[in-house]
Amino acid sequence: MTYVRDTSGTVYEVKSPGSNPKYVECGSDLSDISSRRCPPGVDFKSISAESEFVVGLGMEDRLWGWGWGWVLDDPTIDTNWKQAEVGNGHVVALRRDGTLWTWGDNEEGQLCLGNRTSLVSPKKVTDTVAPASALNDIIRVEANDERTAVLNKWGIAWMCGRNSFGELGIGNTTSQTTFQRVGDTRFSDISLGNGFTVAIDTDGHIWTWGSDTNGRLGNGAAGSTTEEMRITG
């Protein structure tokens, strides 16, 4: 499924290539949504989706979800969210108070909780399982391909999860269940691809690392790399 959000915050589901967008009414046409919260008429600041479920951040900082595997029923934690991103079967979300929460599939340690136990409801990532500096002043979270990344206000990137091709950028190919710092480069943005990572540093330069299949790293045939490599034109 493909989802789009218009400027008013209304979410549409695109059924197939070339079709007109269809307004998503509580995830209609998706399976197993009877107990999921996605009321018609809710406007969203942002949405993030993978093949089987969708997470949306409402205008009043409430998280909503529909599709397979969504659980967020604790009324004490379902408001005051700032950002949420969906990965390959997992979710990473940042609250307005700066705390980081993860849930979902954890086969590769992508929940960053120091284990590989999957969760059906959000759990706070604390400094008992992550360096305190990885959790302070987070400004952006990313999730994709069984990996999680956070970026703090100083431009330091931290990642955990799958690392089969060096996509964590930590100099090896060992998957990690806790946050690991990515080199010494200071970044302003980061994006996770399928087996690779792309980031922009604070001076506007592009850096890539991980699998170079089909030349996706753009490094002039330098090949796959387990550490960040600056792209030069």
Side-chain angles (χ1 to χ4, degrees), residues 7-18:
T7 55
S8 70
T10 301
V11 173
Y12 296 85
E13 174 188 337
V14 180
K15 300 295 291 182
S16 62

Side-chain angles (χ1 to χ4, degrees), residues 150-197:
V150 298
L151 187 65
N152 67 25
K153 71 177 184 180
W154 297 287
I156 300 173
W158 299 78
M159 298 180 66
C160 71
R162 181 171 179 159
N163 196 32
S164 302
F165 306 101
E167 54 265 56
L168 296 186
I170 58 175
N172 60 54
T173 56
T174 302
S175 297
Q176 303 290 326
T177 62
T178 59
F179 278 119
Q180 307 294 314
R181 179 171 172 171
V182 181
D184 297 319
T185 306
R186 300 300 176 101
F187 300 105
S188 61
D189 202 0
I190 190 168
S191 181
L192 310 184
N194 185 11
F196 71 108
T197 304

Side-chain angles (χ1 to χ4, degrees), residues 12 21 26 29 31 33 40 43-44 90 113-114 147 185 215 224 226 231:
Y12 296 85
C26 219
D29 298 333
S31 62
I33 50 79
D43 291 331
F44 295 94
H90 76 292
L113 295 169
R147 280 176 294 146
T185 306
S224 300
T226 61
I231 304 304

Side-chain angles (χ1 to χ4, degrees), residues 46-50 53-57 84-87 143:
S46 63
I47 56 172
S48 182
E50 59 112 54
F53 68 99
V54 182
V55 174
L57 179 63
E85 297 294 334
V86 172

Side-chain angles (χ1 to χ4, degrees), residues 66-94:
W66 59 95
W68 180 86
W70 171 262
V71 177
L72 186 58
D73 295 327
D74 186 343
T76 66
I77 62 172
D78 66 353
T79 58
N80 296 318
W81 296 96
K82 183 178 181 180
Q83 184 190 358
E85 297 294 334
V86 172
N88 186 10
H90 76 292
V91 182
V92 54
L94 183 66

Side-chain angles (χ1 to χ4, degrees), residues 180-226:
Q180 307 294 314
R181 179 171 172 171
V182 181
D184 297 319
T185 306
R186 300 300 176 101
F187 300 105
S188 61
D189 202 0
I190 190 168
S191 181
L192 310 184
N194 185 11
F196 71 108
T197 304
V198 179
I200 301 175
D201 69 21
T202 53
D203 292 322
H205 302 119
I206 297 175
W207 299 71
T208 60
W209 57 92
S211 171
D212 191 39
T213 301
N214 297 322
R216 64 184 65 173
L217 296 188
N219 58 22
S224 300
T225 176
T226 61

